[in-house]
């Protein structure tokens, strides 16, 4: 069983952290069972932040790295039926969301200028 350490739910979302939502959504799509823990501090987080998982007794951080490790170890790839063009579009879309919407999200969430 995988234990997912993530930020708490808020505003009707499963987590207030986009990387945590990304990882949890991927785990659901891949039909992988997991338990959820909301850490009080990040002392045991391998990269000092969330999300991270306990997988086979090993702590792994970074949502993208976690997904790649699970894909390799479990032989699960929800994207396996996509064409190379569809995979490229998917990667471009994920990177656009991850890299280019962060500051807008902060502004909306905290009204930071």
């Amino acid at each position: 069983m995988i234990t997912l350490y993530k930020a708490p739910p808020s505003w009707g979302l499963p987590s207030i952290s986009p990387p945590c939502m990304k990882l949890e959504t991927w785990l659901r799509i891949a039909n992988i069972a997991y338990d959820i823990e909301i850490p009080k501090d990040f002392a045991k987080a391998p990269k000092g932040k969330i999300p991270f998982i306990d997988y086979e007794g090993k702590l792994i951080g970074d949502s993208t790295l976690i997904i790649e490790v699970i894909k390799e170890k479990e032989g699960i790839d929800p994207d396996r039926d996509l064409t190379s063009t569809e995979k490229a579009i998917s990667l471009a879309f994920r990177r656009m969301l991850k890299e280019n919407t962060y500051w807008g999200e902060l502004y909306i969430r905290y009204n930071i200028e």
Side-chain angles (χ1 to χ4, degrees), residues 15 18 21 42 57 62 69 83 91 96 98 100-101 105:
S15 176
M21 283 193 296
F42 302 114
D62 187 273
V69 166
T83 66
L91 177 61
M96 178 199 62
K98 185 176 179 179
N100 297 322
T101 59
E105 177 188 323

Side-chain angles (χ1 to χ4, degrees), residues 41-89:
D41 65 44
F42 302 114
K44 75 180 204 175
K47 297 190 178 231
K49 59 184 179 178
I50 51 174
F52 65 99
I53 64 169
D54 184 334
Y55 179 71
E56 298 179 345
K58 185 175 175 186
L59 296 177
I60 305 168
D62 187 273
S63 61
T64 302
L65 176 62
I66 292 167
I67 289 169
E68 291 305 314
V69 166
I70 294 173
K71 283 167 76 172
E72 181 182 314
K73 297 270 188 179
E74 300 292 328
I76 296 171
D77 185 3
D79 297 336
R80 71 183 160 276
D81 295 331
L82 298 179
T83 66
S84 58
T85 301
E86 291 168 333
K87 287 179 182 179
I89 291 168

Side-chain angles (χ1 to χ4, degrees), residues 32-43:
I32 296 173
Y34 60 95
D35 289 326
I36 294 173
E37 297 255 350
I38 309 295
K40 300 285 187 233
D41 65 44
F42 302 114

Side-chain angles (χ1 to χ4, degrees), residues 101-113:
T101 59
Y102 176 75
W103 297 110
E105 177 188 323
L106 281 180
Y107 177 79
I108 291 167
R109 185 181 292 175
Y110 301 111
N111 200 16
I112 298 172
E113 295 186 37

